[in-house]
Amino acid sequence: AASAPKPLPSSGPKSLREMPHPLATSSSEEMGPALTPSPDLLLPRSIADKDLSLPNGTPVDTSSPASSSSLLNRLQLDDDLDVETRDLFVTVDDPKKHVCTMETYITYRVTTKTTRAEFDLPEYSVRRRYQDFDWLRNKLEESQPTHLIPPLPEKFVVKGVVDRFSEEFVETRRKALDKFLKRITDHPVLSFNEHFNVFLTAKDLNAYKKQGMALLSKMGESVKYVTGGYKLRSRPLEFAAIGDYLDTFSLKLGTIDRIAQRIIKEQLEYLVELREYGPVYSTWGGLEVELSEPLEGVSACIGNCCTALEELSEDMTEDFLPVLREYILYAESMKNVLKKRDQVQAEYEAKLEAVALKREDRPKVPTDVEKCQDRVECFNADLKADMERWQNNKRQDFRQLLMGMADKNIQYYEKVCIT
């Protein structure tokens, strides 16, 4: 008689690699080899350990199996993205306003220069509106579910507060859209996506939207998410650490964003008062001949302060706030990918449990269990690789952002302190 099935251990604080497979028995002749990932698919320690720790320094377990989607090839592609060897350049510029009977909208010129064989021509120039960028992002999420898709700038603005056709708003959005495409261009997987190719090259993108374009990759077709069927027992430590970090990061960045907006609001209110304050001294100087020179000097000084404060507020609005908002949205995107990974792992655990209960009737490992494990491994490796890429970008962006703001504040005080 077959022995009672072993209970399925929780993934809890252990990695998937440490979970004994329910089909494994002491007799390898009876059940065949245990279902374990090949050693050559393990994520290199130098990559897995880097940046996967909490802000307080809590160490992270990185023993989860790596992706079967060839991380080594991806790392090799990363090396190819050096400036000297980069083969794809994309820019967004030249915004234009279009007034139609039913709507008014802005389009942007998207220029592409490339030497890749996937492109028929070395250079393309097409015009795209915001909803086209939104279409691209949705298609990337569908076809590359295991990867972190860069966020788009928020579509809606508060009516009456921000004019979405103003020169300042359009330029801020153009910069954000340009950064969005550059993030994709620099990604060793997303930049080869078929939808991205169509977005950069098709003269009439609406034709592809109407067709619905069945260009999903095999990975995208195979990963089906069940919203309520499976429940994850517990995340492995390394992904729990990523989740905790993202929660803390979003909270702190949201606080900085709110304070920065309040500072800008108060600066603009102060600027209004300051602009009314300066001319008073000039008028006074016209009435007091003996005091005319010093009063005119005070008026000129206040005028310099107005100009310097206006420039500082513009820098905060156009350069500082957009980066904060981008990374708040970036963190939310990463959380969504993490939830998808959890769903796939929960499905894998459920299948393992189901097989364990019927192991006496199954002489070999079911194919669907193997495929599900492949999806978990692929998610793990892709998410960790994208997390490292995101951390590297974040360090560079915030270093540039904070040093730039420090320089702007120094320049501001130098201007207002000139006598």
Side-chain angles (χ1 to χ4, degrees), residues 11-71:
S11 61
K14 298 180 179 181
S15 69
L16 291 177
R17 184 169 177 75
E18 296 174 298
M19 292 172 56
H21 198 282
L23 297 180
T25 65
S26 57
S27 173
S28 59
E29 292 81 6
E30 177 184 344
M31 297 301 295
L35 181 60
T36 56
S38 173
D40 60 355
L41 295 179
L42 291 179
L43 189 67
R45 298 289 298 182
S46 60
I47 300 299
D49 291 346
K50 191 173 183 180
D51 295 325
L52 293 179
S53 59
L54 292 174
N56 62 7
T58 303
V60 172
D61 175 19
T62 57
S63 55
S64 289
S67 169
S68 58
S69 61
S70 183
L71 182 61

Side-chain angles (χ1 to χ4, degrees), residues 155-186:
K155 179 177 182 179
F156 300 104
V157 296
V158 180
K159 189 174 182 180
V161 177
V162 178
D163 178 10
R164 65 190 183 97
F165 298 115
S166 69
E167 184 178 343
E168 295 78 9
F169 178 81
V170 171
E171 176 59 17
T172 299
R173 172 163 285 185
R174 183 203 64 77
K175 290 179 180 178
L177 295 176
D178 183 74
K179 182 177 288 187
F180 169 72
L181 292 187
K182 282 181 169 55
R183 301 277 197 209
I184 299 173
T185 301
D186 291 342

Side-chain angles (χ1 to χ4, degrees), residues 164-225:
R164 65 190 183 97
F165 298 115
S166 69
E167 184 178 343
E168 295 78 9
F169 178 81
V170 171
E171 176 59 17
T172 299
R173 172 163 285 185
R174 183 203 64 77
K175 290 179 180 178
L177 295 176
D178 183 74
K179 182 177 288 187
F180 169 72
L181 292 187
K182 282 181 169 55
R183 301 277 197 209
I184 299 173
T185 301
D186 291 342
H187 196 285
V189 176
L190 299 181
S191 64
F192 288 91
N193 185 276
E194 294 172 280
H195 297 293
F196 187 45
N197 185 305
V198 169
F199 177 87
L200 297 178
T201 62
K203 287 295 182 183
D204 183 12
L205 193 60
N206 290 326
Y208 290 89
K209 291 181 180 180
K210 293 176 182 178
Q211 294 173 5
M213 287 195 67
L215 295 179
L216 292 180
S217 65
K218 293 182 179 179
M219 187 62 207
E221 292 174 337
S222 63
V223 179
K224 305 297 182 183
Y225 303 110

Side-chain angles (χ1 to χ4, degrees), residues 240-271:
I242 291 176
D244 291 342
Y245 172 81
L246 292 173
D247 288 339
T248 302
F249 179 76
S250 298
L251 179 64
K252 299 301 182 184
L253 215 58
T255 301
I256 295 174
D257 180 57
R258 289 192 298 273
I259 294 174
Q261 291 192 53
R262 187 165 67 245
I263 290 174
I264 293 174
K265 180 176 179 293
E266 293 175 355
Q267 285 178 339
L268 294 177
E269 292 174 350
Y270 175 56
L271 185 59

